[in-house]
Amino acid sequence: KLRAFGLGVPALIGLLAGLIAQRYWPRVQLFIHGGSFGIADPQFGKDLGFYAFQLPFFRLILSFLFVALFLAFMANLVTHYIFGGIRLAAGVGALSRAARIQLISLVGVLVLLKAVAYWLDRFELLSHTRMAKPFTGAGYTDINAVLPAKLILLAIALICAAAVFSALFLRDLRIPAIGLVLLLVSSLIIAVVTFCICMG
């Protein structure tokens, strides 16, 4: 029943994804037909139409890519385990070449998408809402603390992505593992530091 499984599960996921995506059709239309306001923001020099029409669409695409790649990673993980590409015996694991290439590639692309998310986070600082007000924009702390933190995390994410992809050639899973731990720890530390600065 491999054919029924291989066709049925993707069809079901595609149907659910389509039902969810149709809720965001107005956002797609705004991206396609949105124009410019003729006014540039003072921080990045981008037209305000970018923030109204393009940035929400980019965020939507990024979210769908995150979910799709995560589901692909889980599906590959289960499939390789079922067919012997991943073997666990006496506490020792082994990966076949195909399993290593597929899983490492998916994880590396996920880390690259995280880097893109940090890049887009920079622009969303200009539409912050604080103190229950409808719109406050970027404050002094956002520009001088949060924005540099996003750039640091972006650089770390790119370095970690390179570390993950290096496992395709070095065949050493410790390097991508260290890279992922570095990304997680650095994001937590920077998040705590920026939160303390914002609250202070």
Side-chain angles (χ1 to χ4, degrees):
K1 299 182 179 180
L2 290 178
R3 178 174 297 181
F5 181 81
L7 295 177
V9 174
L12 178 61
I13 294 176
L15 177 62
L16 294 175
L19 292 175
I20 295 174
Q22 69 175 355
R23 298 174 49 195
Y24 299 97
W25 184 242
R27 189 177 301 184
V28 177
Q29 289 294 306
L30 288 173
F31 172 76
I32 296 174
H33 302 290
S36 61
F37 291 94
I39 303 174
D41 74 87
Q43 181 63 33
F44 301 109
K46 288 187 172 294
D47 188 90
L48 298 186
F50 169 79
Y51 301 95
F53 307 123
Q54 299 179 28
L55 184 58
F57 176 78
F58 293 153
R59 273 295 185 186
L60 175 64
I61 296 299
L62 189 63
S63 298
F64 270 90
L65 288 176
F66 265 122
V67 174
L69 286 173
F70 178 76
L71 292 177
F73 176 81
M74 298 304 297
N76 276 273
L77 193 66
V78 173
T79 303
H80 282 297
Y81 179 77
I82 292 175
F83 290 98
I86 300 176
R87 296 184 298 274
L88 301 175
V92 179
L95 287 176
S96 67
R97 182 174 181 273
R100 179 173 56 84
I101 292 175
Q102 285 187 320
L103 295 176
I104 290 298
S105 298
L106 288 171
V107 173
V109 176
L110 281 171
V111 178
L112 285 178
L113 289 180
K114 188 61 178 177
V116 175
Y118 286 133
W119 178 261
L120 295 180
D121 286 344
R122 300 161 56 249
F123 302 111
E124 292 189 341
L125 290 175
L126 301 187
S127 59
H128 264 187
T129 299
R130 299 184 184 277
M131 304 297 292
K133 296 180 180 179
F135 179 82
T136 58
Y140 179 85
T141 303
D142 294 320
I143 300 302
N144 294 279
V146 181
L147 180 57
K150 296 296 182 182
L151 292 176
I152 294 173
L153 289 174
L154 170 62
I156 294 175
L158 292 176
I159 295 172
C160 293
V164 171
F165 283 118
S166 69
L168 295 176
F169 310 98
L170 301 178
R171 298 183 180 181
D172 189 352
L173 297 181
R174 291 175 297 180
I175 296 177
I178 293 173
L180 294 176
V181 171
L182 172 63
L183 179 60
L184 177 62
V185 172
S186 59
S187 61
L188 290 175
I189 293 176
I190 292 179
V192 171
V193 172
T194 53
F195 176 78
C196 293
I197 293 175
C198 293
M199 295 300 295

